[in-house]
Amino acid sequence: MQLESAQKKEVWKSAELLKDYKPGDKVLQLRLEEGKDLEYCLDPKTKELPPLRNPDILVGENDLTALSYLHEPAVLHNLKVRFIDSKLIYTYCGIVLVAINPYEQLPIYGEDIINAYSGQNMGDMDPHIFAVAEEAYKQMARDERNQSIIVSGESGAGKTVSAKYAMRYFATVSGSASEANVEEKVLASNPIMESIGNAKTTRNDNSSRFGKYIEIGFDKRYRIIGANMRTYLLEKSRVVFQAEEERNYHIFYQLCASAALPEFKTLRLGNADYFHYTKQGGSPVIDGVDDAKEMVNTRQACTLLGISDSYQMGIFRILAGILHLGNVEFASRDSDSCTIPPKHDPLTIFCDLMGVEYEEMAHWLCHRKLATATETYIKPISKLHAINARDALAKHIYANLFNWIVDHVNKALHSTIKQHSFIGVLDIYGFETFEINSFEQFCINYANEKLQQQFNMHVFKLEQEEYMKEQIPWTLIDFYDNQPCINLIEAKMGILDLLDEECKMPKGSDDTWAQKLYNTHLNKCALFEKPRLSNKAFIIKHFADKVEYQCEGFLEKNKDTVYEEQIKVLKSSKFKLLPELFQDEEKVLSPTSATPSGRVPLSRTAVKPAKARPGQTSKEHKKTVGHQFRNSLHLLMETLNATTPHYVRCIKPNDFKFPFTFDEKRAVQQLRACGVLETIRISAAGFPSRWTYQEFFSRYRVLMKQRDVLGDRKQTCKNVLEKLILDKDKYQFGKTKIFFRAGQVAYLEKIRADKLRAACIRIQKTIRGWLMRKKYMRMRKAAITIQRYVRGYQARCYAKFLRRTRAAITIQKFHRMYVVRKRYQCMRDATIALQALLRGYMARNKYQMMLREHKSIIIQKHVRGWLARVHYRRTLKAIVYLQCCYRRMMAKRELKKLKIEARSVERYKKLHIGLENKIMQLQRKIDEQVKLRESVCKSFIFFIVNYQNQVTFLCAFLFPSLCPFFTHSSASFCCGSGILLDFVLFFLKQEPSEKKAPLDMSLFLKLQKRVTELEQEKQSLQDELDRKEEQALRAKAKYESLKRQELESENKKLKNELNELQKALTETRSPEVTAPGAPAYRVLLDQLTSVSEELEVRKEEVLILRSQLVSQKECNVLNMSFHHHHVSLLYFLNTFLGRQSPQDYHMLNEDGELWLVYEGLKQANRLLESQLQSQKKSHENELESLRGEIQSLKEENNRQQQLLAQNLQLPPEARIEASLQHEITRLTNENLDLMEQLEKQDKTVRKLKKQLKVFAKKIGELEVGQMENISPGQIIDEPIRPVNIPRKEKDFQGMLEYKKEDEQKLVKNLILELKPRGVAVNLIPGLPAYILFMCVRHADYLNDDQKVRSLLTSTINGIKKVLKKRGDDFETVSFWLSNTCRFLHCLKQYSGEEGFMKHNTPRQNEHCLTNFDLAEYRQVLSDLAIQIYQQLVRVLENILQPMIVSGMLEHETIQGVSGVKPTGLRKRTSSIADEGTYTLDSIIRQLNSFHSVMCQHGMDPELIKQVVKQMFYIIGAVTLNNLLLRKDMCSWSKGMQIRYNVSQLEEWLRDKNLMNSGAKETLEPLIQAAQLLQVKKKTDEDAEAICSMCNALTTAQIVKVLNLYTPVNEFEERVLVSFIRTIQLRLRDRKDSPQLLMDAKHIFPVTFPFNPSSLALETIQIPASLGLGFISRV
């Protein structure tokens, strides 16, 4: 057991308990870490044991609240391990960031680190000031609430640097809302404020001697628009006095260092040792700081903030004047008066610089004015008072100058844009205690008391909110409330009140004030004490420590007295800037705080100054420093309370500024003073350790048995915890988390480690046994072999000498063998005998037991069977008896009924009355249908006869010779009007003889048009008739089916009744009733026979009725068709014959053409019959397909019901997953079906296009042939008919023609409004590029340079416009990158240059550009392609960035390898995959999506390889950068996960044939980092192997990984500091970049290798979907 023991020199030391402690022991046997044994005596009164140390797995945690044992030594040890061993200066402590000053520059503040922390959750990255800044920025944007970052700590702890880095983060991440670079101005305020407000102290070379609160303003888009600064308690005394080894403010030394500059000659400056105000500390130079260079930076910052050169020189004049004023000396006249030597140089220079009169200033430096009620006196003052007055004047001038500069900085940072929110950065002094503490320390500690109170309340509030959110019962936690201490200072009659009251007294002094304090608070307030040996001091018990304050100087510093006469002299100065410092002095809130700049912060009410009344100026001027400080502090607390605070506590590790040296005693003092230990104590009082249920399950699954694991994780965790921790007060179950008290996680870790250790020991035991057996067998075999050869060699060498002894040896051998065998046989026989006896005994016992059990079972079986049979027989007998009784009773009743009914035959007649009525109704309906059919048939026959007569008449009139033929063939001839019309048209198309007159062509065209209209009308009527008939058939079919069902149901009913009657008759007991010859029997039999005959008759009638309906339907159809044909034929013949002369009819029968017509009609009839058959078959096929679809839908419905039933049985989580899986499967199947249908349609379209081309070609050839056969005279005489003449297919030249005014339309349709997805799926890749190039070719063919230039310029601008509008869409960028490259390749391929024409076909070479050289445009397009490629990379990065860290690092691809470690308040992202969590599969799916899109767009393979290489570089760089910034990820198991993830990425490359793209090499740094996490890290050989293996990692990265390496389990070991030093020594000669992180924004140079296209331009078709109908192919 490890624990912490208290030592005198070191605050705490780690030790190990050598002997278990027993109650009553007074001494603990301990062994310290260095190996020394120690006897630790327990306190006999309290008998309190030393605090326990946390397990090694928790040491070095990022968050102190994650420690299981929360106490002071644990916190100190964790900080020391992180600071010394891991070189980590930042650590979380709940909501506080603890920052330890390393006293050296660290490479962790670069812009790459800022980018790495930007957008990350606070718990996902290692602790950093950037993480706090990012959290504040994120909460401001998310919660719409102002934020504050409170940075506190001792002087030299690094407060200013931390605040500076926080502001730098905001400036870098947010940017400015205007072109004025506000973020640069905000950062530029730092050098100015440091020069005038920072100084060298014994503890810090750049100590801020004032507190400041900077509000950084943001607009609605959360970009910096300005800032405002408020300052607190400037240390004015430093202007006139510095302690040993300290300096004045930096600006004075910067002025002295720049005295040689020409513009500073008038200031008459010299060395810093010359001036009294800069030489008192004796240390005017800081090592490593160039004051002259710092002066240049200060002046540049002033210029950037808008302070002009004239104002800058004015500031420097005032500062130089202060230095010269400090050299003014006084000579004593007597004890009450003094004088300044005449023509005193320092005073002369001061007056010249300030522009005041020498005599007035000299006079009022040695005199003062006393005003009474009636008179005014001028009184000389002593030398000491004069020196004090001089120093007070210097301090006052400097303080006003400081406020003036702050005011102008605020004006420069003020924005005209309305401020939406702000983030305040408070850089304020921490708790201070020195050997001599004065008024400054009192005010500083008072401010820290107020801040600590606010901090305590905020911490307590967060704890309370967490418990309430998780519904945890909580009690009030006892925490230190420092309100009594604050009341002691600021309440009525408090220390400040008494101080102000004493300042108003005419003869008030520090001694009288001290006495008033003693009288008021001593023995009345427990926090106030009086020192034993002093009457001029008092002690206050602050929250951090007791502090003794010396009363001397309190009144003077609180009054801050400056003689008004001296101020009036300065106000009368001719120097413009000086009076500005003192004007409106009464409006200044405090002499140490900047005036408000007029802006009202968002979250606090504006404090309006009261209107000044006459005579109030002097009163306002006399406000004390303490009163003003208290007011400004209250205003600050109001601001902080209205914001969400974030705390940064800076710790000074040692007082000697040694880098990475940790003084435990000093660290503990500061931790106590800054409230970190109070935070720990509050956390420890409640439930400091918190786990989500999933994390707890993942970590402690090893402690559960299989039966303990339930589907509900929450219930599982509850059950396990109840078994592991018996005291239920040690934990609480929240809604989403489990809360543990201090020490419980360590206890669980111990149980887990013990179980894992036992398992490891078992594994080790087995493996070691196996290895030792293997080793033993090898050694034995080797030994036997060696022995054999050695013995053989010896036997051969000594054969002659051993002949005599050989026999003896042989005898000994056999004898020994016999003895051993005998012994072995005895032992073996004895063992076998024992085994046989034992096994026999056990077998007999077992047999007896089994026999007894078997017999018992048989007895039980028979007894139970007998009992069951007895019970069954009794029950059966009773049931049969009951049934017999009941059936007998029912039979008697039925017999009575049958006897009564048998006597009356009327009952049977009633039974069939309803049936006869229904049959008569059906007969009546059938008769009506028959009559209707007869009437229809008669009208139809009449119509046919009439029709045939008319046809015969017409044919006889037209063709007398064919009358018999048409009479016999009228049916076939009248099958349709279309055939007869074709017949008429056939004769009209015949060439007229030379003797006959030509036909009227216009009349013929009219007839043709009329025939077409009649055909269309006929078709519409036919369709309407078909619909009506279908409706009638459906209605009739439905009616018949209903009738048939009704008849069948009645038939069944009658049969059932007859059967019942027969059964009843047979069951009756009277034989005379049931006898065959009985009257009742005969009556029933006759009725049955009659009903059966009537039923058969009705069946036949139903069949006849069905056949009549079918025939009637066919007759109706034929009748309608004949009617339509008859009407159309009569109309045509009447119109045609009415206009012809009788002589024209005899011309139609020349050379027997009518016979040919008849043959054609017969063929037409056959064709119609075949079409009818085919339609019938298609209808049947369609019916079958519909049935199949219905069947498939039924099956699908059944399957859906089964799935639904299965899903309802599953738990909710599995149900959702199953439904999602089913939906995905269904959608996939639908997509596959649709794709198959699409492919079939595409094939059909292509087939139809080919057929269309063939038919068009044939038609063209026929037309050409007909034109050749017609003579010119015939062409002239014959009237032109408006027929469609298809264009002959041209031999295209691969060019597209468009009009100049259509250029914008072309760019709009082809570039601006084109949808990439539709083009990529349906059309050839790169089609827009081909179309554009073909347009360029036509412009080149026309030799129109303006058109070429305009088209290319419009194309480039259009592509840029599209990418600007939709530049974040990967498909759009990829599409236009592919088309731009294809356009560039086309310009090269058809440029006519020999280097690009090698792969062209002869036809392609003919298409080369002939008039223009477009090499310049090729360069422009190449530059455009590079820009598009870079934009594509940015889009890829934006899509992949959120996935990389989660998928590559956080998600456990191999489940169970890496355990979940305990975490603190800053919860990290869980590695368990939720619904919204990205995994490695997400990354691979995204890579597949990218690759498929690029392939669909036809991107060049080489370009795809370059894109994939860039993607893999981004993945590797982002993953490695996060690994280097996350301590929790640097473990052996995480290295294994990374190796597996990288192998999956390599597998993806292999699947896509991209292994030669160079993408794998970009992952080499990540691979080596993963290997570094897994290799041994102990010996020098390991160090050598690491140095040779990690050649792709820099030295800084290797050392960082080794420093961050954290064991997840107790079986892993930490990397020793000595091993890391060895690595550094071995790598010191390696020349690599000192940068820690990889540049994730780096883009590899892209090249576009020439890739000619084999596609022939003349074959490219322009689809109508592009809307380019105004373009024509040439």
Side-chain angles (χ1 to χ4, degrees), residues 1143-1156:
Q1143 291 82 11
D1144 295 335
Y1145 300 144
H1146 300 284
M1147 298 175 354
L1148 298 174
N1149 195 23
E1150 288 186 1
D1151 300 330
E1153 288 100 346
L1154 291 178
W1155 178 257
L1156 297 175

Side-chain angles (χ1 to χ4, degrees), residues 891 894-895 897-903 907-908 1057-1076 1078-1088:
E894 191 64 29
L895 179 60
K897 288 181 182 179
L898 288 174
K899 285 180 179 179
I900 296 169
E901 290 176 355
R903 296 188 184 95
R907 177 179 175 275
Y908 297 102
E1057 289 177 355
L1058 289 174
N1059 291 331
E1060 288 176 1
L1061 288 173
Q1062 289 178 357
K1063 187 176 180 182
L1065 289 173
T1066 53
E1067 289 179 356
T1068 53
R1069 294 186 179 181
S1070 60
E1072 62 274 11
V1073 176
T1074 58
Y1081 181 85
R1082 284 196 302 273
V1083 170
L1084 291 174
L1085 189 60
D1086 294 337
Q1087 288 181 354
L1088 177 62

Side-chain angles (χ1 to χ4, degrees), residues 343 351 356-364:
K343 302 295 182 183
C351 293
V356 297
E357 295 294 333
Y358 177 86
E359 290 77 10
E360 289 187 12
M361 184 54 66
H363 176 74
W364 291 113

Side-chain angles (χ1 to χ4, degrees), residues 150 152 211 232-233 426 428-432 439-455 482 485-486 489-490 496 542-543 549 629-630 632-634 636-637 640 649:
I150 302 172
S152 63
Y232 304 92
L233 201 65
L426 177 64
I428 199 164
Y429 15 68
F431 184 83
E432 288 188 354
F439 182 72
E440 290 84 3
Q441 282 71 42
F442 176 78
C443 292
I444 287 171
N445 294 338
Y446 165 48
N448 276 274
E449 285 285 353
K450 296 284 287 185
L451 290 173
Q452 182 64 26
Q453 183 186 39
Q454 191 267 349
F455 172 72
N482 55 355
C485 184
I486 295 173
I489 296 172
E490 69 176 15
L496 285 178
H542 290 285
F543 74 94
Y549 298 100
F629 182 69
R630 178 169 54 186
S632 62
L633 192 58
H634 281 303
L636 173 66
M637 298 312 299
L640 294 180
R649 300 296 193 232

